[in-house]
């Protein structure tokens, strides 16, 4: 069974084709991505209307590219999957509309997928795929959550951010440091040249006794330092970047370890854009090795938004018998959609 996946929830258009046979982990045949970062850069962030229009321009050429790379025709597609939410409403509507139009034209069923479930399952496409059950640390631009994952569609929320997401903390701090948008990767690169102990920054909720996160105070602390440094900021930028990254990563690592301890599980899966962060990977690897915990990450190219994770999540939900793809081609999107709300009944 070949599943075409379309991702359009934010500022990347992603299309991919996976091949799924029975209960085996689906195989990625090809994927293609167009990032809108350059287009939004001038505005310092994502402009939703521009995002939607660009998805419209990109999605079909990307689909053609994927099919050509996979050596397939449109008629070989068995199911068309798309991101149903959460995300920007207009951007989601493009993917949903195109998926349903393709499905109707090809007389193939379609399936709407939860974006975070895509991230969560994305490590199954890596060479070192995980096994259930595991603790998942979902760290993206919009979400920071710890989940207990028993199987496909069986997600229990253990803790989440009460304000900014980890990716937002990276992006907002990077903006304060004058590093542009999206700042996470840029801040991380600069941090490699800095002293991570140069500035004392807060580790919010580190000792809260629960598994929740808070990053808004960190951004304020970075702003205070930037104001204090004034004209001397350029000379200290790398140190402040390194200190900021260290604060975010320390909280993510300690809370992940606490979640593993509380759940008694020995397997951790890291997913979402911030999962590409080198320091996070290095510190998690070291801490987990000491505790006999296995850590799994998506391939670096599949950490940030992509169509492969959407095709994969659709294929895994279908294989698990959680739902059936639909042929009514009536779609709605869910800009706000907590992951622990999805169940076979709700999304069917
Ligand atoms: O998962 P994602 O592509 O989009 C959402 O679903 O939100 O995550 C994007 C986030 C952005 O905040 C970006 O700055 C962050 O992931 N990010 C990073 C790195 N690469 C991407 N943050 C820190 N270090 C990185 N290397
Ligand atoms: Zn994402």
């Amino acid at each position: 069974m070949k599943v075409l996946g379309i991702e359009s929830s934010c500022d990347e258009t992603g299309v991919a084709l996976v091949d799924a046979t029975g209960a085996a982990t689906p195989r990625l045949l090809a994927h293609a991505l167009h990032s809108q970062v350059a287009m939004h850069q001038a505005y310092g962030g994502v402009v939703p209307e521009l995002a939607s229009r660009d998805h419209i321009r990109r999605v079909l050429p990307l689909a053609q590219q994927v099919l050509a790379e996979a050596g397939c025709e449109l008629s070989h597609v068995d199911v068309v999957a798309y991101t149903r939410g959460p995300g920007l409403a207009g951007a989601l509507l493009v993917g949903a509309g195109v998926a349903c139009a393709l499905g109707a034209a090809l007389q193939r069923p379609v399936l709407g997928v939860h974006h975070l479930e895509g991230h969560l399952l994305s490590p199954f496409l890596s060479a070192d795929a995980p096994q259930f059950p595991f603790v998942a640390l979902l760290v993206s631009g919009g979400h920071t959550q710890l989940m207990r994952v028993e199987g496909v569609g069986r997600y229990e929320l253990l803790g989440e951010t009460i304000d900014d997401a980890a990716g937002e903390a990276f992006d907002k701090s990077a903006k304060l440091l004058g590093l542009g948008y999206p700042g996470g990767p840029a801040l991380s690169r600069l941090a490699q040249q800095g002293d991570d102990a140069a500035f004392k920054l807060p580790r919010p909720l580190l000792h809260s006794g629960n598994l929740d996160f808070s990053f808004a105070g960190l951004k304020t602390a970075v702003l205070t330092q930037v104001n204090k440094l004034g004209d001397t900021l350029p000379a200290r930028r790398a140190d402040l970047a390194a200190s900021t990254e260290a604060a975010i990563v320390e909280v993510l690592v300690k809370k992940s370890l606490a979640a593993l301890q509380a759940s008694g599980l020995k397997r951790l899966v890291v997913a979402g854009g911030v999962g590409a962060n080198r320091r996070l990977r290095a510190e998690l690897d070291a801490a987990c090795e000491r505790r006999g915990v296995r850590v799994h990450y998506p391939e670096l190219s599949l950490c940030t938004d992509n169509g492969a994770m959407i095709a994969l999540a659709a294929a895994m939900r279908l294989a698990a018998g959680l739902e059936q793809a639909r042929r009514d081609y009536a779609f709605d999107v869910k800009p706000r959609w907590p992951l622990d709300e999805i169940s076979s009944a709700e999304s069917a």
Side-chain angles (χ1 to χ4, degrees), residues 55-348:
H55 286 308
I56 293 174
R57 277 192 289 272
R58 308 287 176 180
V59 65
L60 288 176
L62 286 173
Q64 277 161 344
Q65 187 183 330
V66 162
L67 289 168
E69 266 172 41
C72 289
E73 310 272 328
L74 259 183
S75 60
H76 295 152
V77 172
D78 297 297
V79 176
V80 186
Y82 63 93
T83 305
R84 187 179 173 201
L88 300 168
L92 290 167
L93 280 169
V94 175
V98 168
C100 288
L102 269 178
L106 298 168
Q107 299 190 331
R108 297 287 191 281
V110 300
L111 185 60
V113 170
H114 196 293
H115 179 85
L116 291 181
E117 185 172 37
H119 276 303
L120 190 75
L121 298 175
S122 60
F124 281 93
L125 286 175
S126 70
D128 181 31
Q131 286 170 2
F132 297 113
F134 52 77
V135 169
L137 172 68
L138 261 179
V139 271
S140 70
H143 294 84
T144 298
Q145 300 186 327
L146 279 161
M147 323 254 338
R148 183 188 173 105
V149 178
E150 294 289 341
V152 181
R154 294 164 65 199
Y155 314 125
E156 181 196 345
L157 184 66
L158 302 174
E160 65 182 333
T161 184
I162 57 170
D163 42 54
D164 290 351
E168 238 174 324
F170 270 106
D171 293 341
K172 288 179 176 173
S173 303
K175 204 168 188 174
L176 293 169
L177 289 170
L179 298 176
Y181 143 88
L187 188 146
S188 174
R189 267 194 306 278
L190 184 63
Q192 286 172 44
Q193 303 155 25
D195 171 7
D196 59 14
F199 294 91
K200 265 184 96 68
L201 297 174
R203 268 76 168 151
L205 299 190
L206 192 57
H207 303 293
S208 61
N210 64 20
L211 297 172
D212 287 338
F213 302 85
S214 164
F215 290 107
L218 179 63
K219 169 191 67 195
T220 311
V222 172
L223 176 62
T224 305
Q225 293 298 339
V226 167
N227 288 337
K228 258 197 215 164
L229 288 168
D231 292 345
T232 61
L233 174 64
R236 306 295 310 280
R237 215 190 305 264
D239 288 345
L240 191 47
S243 303
T244 305
E245 184 180 55
I248 298 171
V249 167
E250 184 181 340
V251 175
L252 293 176
V253 172
K254 294 243 164 92
K255 294 274 175 169
S256 300
L257 295 177
L260 284 159
Q261 195 168 19
S263 65
L265 296 175
K266 288 284 184 191
R267 205 179 282 276
L268 178 69
V269 160
V270 184
V274 181
N277 184 269
R278 279 198 212 179
R279 182 177 181 129
L280 177 65
R281 287 186 174 217
E283 291 200 10
L284 276 177
D285 285 346
C288 288
E289 197 182 339
R290 283 197 294 275
R291 288 165 180 78
V293 171
R294 287 287 311 277
V295 200
H296 302 264
Y297 305 93
E299 299 293 339
L300 269 180
S301 62
L302 300 182
C303 270
T304 45
D305 294 346
N306 63 83
M309 67 185 197
I310 301 306
L312 170 81
M316 289 180 80
R317 285 188 77 79
L318 291 169
L322 288 175
E323 56 196 317
Q324 293 195 322
R326 303 162 56 139
R327 289 176 184 270
D328 58 6
Y329 310 116
F331 57 88
D332 61 348
V333 295
K334 293 179 132 259
R336 287 183 187 280
W337 191 12
L339 180 57
D340 56 346
E341 248 181 32
I342 61 172
S343 66
S344 49
E346 203 275 338
S347 45

